[in-house]
Structures are given as structure tokens and as C-alpha cells.
């Protein structure tokens, strides 16, 4: 269990979302004995109008602080993100290659082909006008195939915050080639928020990363918020498997202890209430997951 507590997992929700979207995955990591952080990003959990006062740099700064705290007590740290949370995870790996040991990305975004995105540079130069005339747009929450599931995000898109995210995409994409830590990329076949092309861009443009360290998993049964959808169990199993392998790879070698050096009546020490019994996430594989599609 000590080796597990020596590994930390930093999770991030997406744009206009909430930690609720990542809570099941965070709980799975905690139950497996890892140290877990799942912060509420600045501007979220209040109102969309408040979010208009925050930027991509604010979200990066918030996760950087969490990363530093985890790194202070963990030998290995993996960053996991959904949607924009995946974008932020990529940025942390670009900025702090010596602090991020692995990435778990779920439907990350690094671009959009939406027709209205072409106006983003112009709108960025007119921010005071945008704040008064077009402060928000229709929301993008609850893209879930499973009936009755709600992610708990804003029902409006704060325009200025969205412009900040769009301005960050080309910066993140330009630096994909510097990422060197192993990566698991899980992406939905049908996603009404982030175009599937995003996943292919991340796979193709992380050129410094060996193919063997890129693990792609197709999510055939879920829409964008896959962590709350039909593929949630698959995501948890594969993410746990990936983090376990990274943790074992970075753990110091163990040496056999002579049996006569250990008292026969020794009892295991109690690691405390925050520890959990490690679970087996299944067989190791780095191939594409082709689970048959479940009826929706």
C-alpha cells in the first residue's frame, strides 16, 4: 500500500463543468489507495457570469498549485482530464515535464472546426463590447447517451471565457511535440462537443512520445461526458491499469528479506483509514479497445 500512496492522481473537470463529472473516477483511484486531488476550477461552481472573469491561465495556475502539492509527497504523479480538463493536463505536461509522469485524457480538445470559431480573434479584440452585447451563448452540458444523467455544469457558455480557451488551443497544440510522458487517450466515437479529429491530432502530434507509450481506447457506448456514461466502468478499469503500471515502473526495486530476519508473529501495520486494498484492473494491453457497442 505504501507504493500506492507514493502515487498521486490529479483530476480536472471540463469547461463549464464541475468535479461531479470526474467524481466516480476519482473515487475509483482513492479506493485503490492512490492520493487524489479533484479541484473546482476558478469561475466554476458559481455562475457563468463569474466565469467570464477567469481565463485559461487561471485554470492552469490552479492545477499547477495542486500538482506542486501532490509532487511534494508523491514519487509519481498522473494528470487526468475530461474535455478542457484534458487540454489543461496536456499543458501541464508541456510546462512541467519533470513533474508529470503520465496523462489520462478523456475526449480532450485542442481545436474546433465550428464555423463560428473563425470570429474568435476578432471578438478577442472587442472584449469590452462582447462583455456587454454577447456575454453568453447556449450551453453544451449533458452530452450523455445514458438517459437521466446530468453533469451539473452551466447551461450557458460564458463568451469571454470561451474565447480564452480558444486562444489557448493553438498554444497547447504547438507544444504537443515536447510531451514525453506515457499517455492514455480515451475518446468517444460519437461526441457532440469535441470533434473526433482532436484525438487524432493529439496522437499524431505528440511526436516525441514512442508509439508504445500511447494507449488509445475507443469509447463506443458514450457521448462527450463519458465518465458518467455507459463506458464509465471501462474508463475506470483502463485508467487504473495504466496508473498501476506507471506506479510500478517508477517504484524503487525491492529486495528479498531472509525469512529468518522477519519475526514469525509479525502483523501487518495499519496504514490508516485513507488506504484501500488495491484492485486488479484487468489484463495489460496497449492496443485499441474494440468493445462491441451497447444498445443505447
Amino acid at each position: 500500500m505504501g507504493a500506492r500512496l507514493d502515487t498521486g492522481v490529479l483530476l480536472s473537470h471540463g469547461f463549464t463543468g464541475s468535479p461531479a463529472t470526474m467524481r466516480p473516477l476519482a473515487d475509483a483511484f482513492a479506493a485503490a489507495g492512490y492520493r487524489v486531488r479533484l479541484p473546482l476550477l476558478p469561475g466554476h461552481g458559481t455562475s457563468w457570469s463569474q466565469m467570464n472573469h477567469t481565463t485559461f491561465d487561471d485554470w492552469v495556475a490552479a492545477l499547477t498549485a495542486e500538482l506542486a502539492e501532490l509532487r511534494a509527497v508523491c514519487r509519481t504523479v498522473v494528470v487526468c482530464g475530461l474535455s478542457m480538463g484534458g487540454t489543461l493536463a496536456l499543458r501541464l505536461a508541456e510546462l512541467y515535464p519533470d513533474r508529470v509522469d503520465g496523462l489520462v485524457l478523456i475526449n480532450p480538445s485542442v481545436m474546433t472546426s465550428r464555423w463560428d470559431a473563425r470570429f474568435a480573434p476578432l471578438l478577442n479584440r472587442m472584449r469590452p463590447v462582447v462583455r456587454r452585447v454577447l456575454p453568453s451563448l447556449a450551453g453544451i452540458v449533458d452530452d450523455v447517451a445514458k438517459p437521466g444523467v446530468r453533469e451539473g455544469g452551466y447551461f450557458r457558455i460564458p463568451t469571454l471565457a470561451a474565447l480564452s480557451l480558444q486562444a489557448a488551443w493553438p498554444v497547447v497544440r504547438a507544444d504537443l511535440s515536447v510531451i514525453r510522458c506515457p499517455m492514455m487517450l480515451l475518446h468517444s466515437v460519437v461526441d457532440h462537443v469535441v470533434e473526433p479529429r482532436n484525438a487524432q491530432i493529439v496522437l499524431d502530434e505528440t511526436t516525441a512520445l514512442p508509439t508504445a507509450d500511447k494507449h488509445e481506447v475507443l469509447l463506443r457506448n458514450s457521448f462527450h461526458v463519458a465518465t458518467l456514461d455507459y463506458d464509465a466502468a471501462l474508463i475506470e478499469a483502463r485508467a487504473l491499469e495504466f496508473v498501476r503500471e506507471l506506479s510500478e515502473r517508477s517504484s524503487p526495486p525491492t529486495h528479498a528479506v531472509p525469512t529468518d530476519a522477519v519475526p514469525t508473529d509479525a502483523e501487518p501495520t495499519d496504514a490508516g483509514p485513507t488506504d484501500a486494498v488495491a484492485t486488479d484492473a484487468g489484463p495489460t494491453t496497449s492496443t485499441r479497445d474494440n468493445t462491441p457497442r451497447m444498445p443505447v
Side-chain angles (χ1 to χ4, degrees):
M1 188 57 62
R4 297 244 167 166
L5 286 175
D6 205 23
T7 298
V9 183
L10 173 59
L11 301 98
S12 176
H13 62 81
F15 184 76
T16 72
S18 76
T21 58
M22 300 296 280
R23 177 65 63 185
L25 185 55
D27 288 345
F29 281 124
Y34 299 110
R35 298 183 187 273
V36 174
R37 293 292 183 94
L38 174 55
L40 176 69
L41 295 176
H44 295 75
T46 55
S47 66
W48 63 259
S49 59
Q50 287 297 313
M51 191 175 170
N52 261 334
H53 296 282
T54 62
T55 67
F56 190 82
D57 287 344
D58 295 322
W59 310 323
V60 170
L63 289 184
T64 298
E66 298 284 346
L67 175 63
E69 292 188 12
L70 267 182
R71 197 76 219 187
V73 294
C74 294
R75 179 188 301 272
T76 303
V77 176
V78 178
V79 184
C80 176
L82 167 68
S83 192
M84 182 191 75
T87 315
L88 292 166
L90 287 167
R91 193 57 182 156
L92 290 186
E94 294 168 351
L95 294 174
Y96 311 109
D98 57 333
R99 301 185 198 177
V100 178
D101 300 293
L103 295 171
V104 176
L105 310 173
I106 307 160
N107 293 325
S109 64
V110 292
M111 54 76 66
T112 184
S113 55
R114 287 171 53 98
W115 68 270
D116 52 353
R118 71 187 68 178
F119 299 111
L122 174 62
L123 294 176
N124 256 319
R125 293 194 295 269
M126 303 169 57
R127 293 177 70 88
V129 176
V130 171
R131 188 184 298 276
R132 294 194 309 270
V133 179
L134 190 65
S136 70
L137 303 167
I140 54 174
V141 295
D142 299 338
D143 187 33
V144 184
K146 195 172 185 178
V149 176
R150 298 288 179 267
E151 66 172 287
Y154 296 150
F155 286 93
R156 300 291 297 178
I157 297 175
T159 308
L160 295 181
L163 290 173
S164 176
L165 173 59
Q166 288 192 31
W169 280 334
V171 177
V172 174
R173 182 174 177 180
D175 287 344
L176 288 176
S177 61
V178 306
I179 293 177
R180 287 175 169 77
C181 63
M183 172 180 68
M184 173 163 281
L185 175 57
L186 308 100
H187 60 102
S188 301
V189 174
V190 178
D191 187 329
H192 305 99
V193 178
V194 172
E195 299 95 328
R197 184 184 169 200
N198 281 267
Q200 196 59 52
I201 288 173
V202 172
L203 290 170
D204 290 344
E205 298 184 12
T206 46
T207 52
L209 193 58
T211 301
D213 282 337
K214 300 180 187 181
H215 307 263
E216 181 184 15
V217 180
L218 292 181
L219 305 175
R220 299 184 180 279
N221 309 316
S222 303
F223 293 161
H224 182 64
V225 191
T227 50
L228 300 181
D229 217 327
Y230 288 116
D231 288 310
L234 172 63
I235 293 171
E236 291 170 17
R238 296 300 300 273
L240 280 167
E241 173 189 39
F242 177 74
V243 173
R244 186 185 67 235
E245 291 179 352
L246 284 181
S247 179
E248 292 172 352
R249 183 190 303 184
S250 63
S251 296
T254 57
H255 301 282
V257 178
T259 55
D260 58 358
V262 181
T264 57
D265 59 349
E267 296 183 358
T269 57
D270 184 359
T274 58
D275 290 341
V277 177
T279 57
D280 188 359
T284 301
T285 176
S286 61
T287 59
R288 179 176 294 192
D289 191 291
N290 290 311
T291 306
R293 179 171 178 79
M294 178 187 301
V296 175

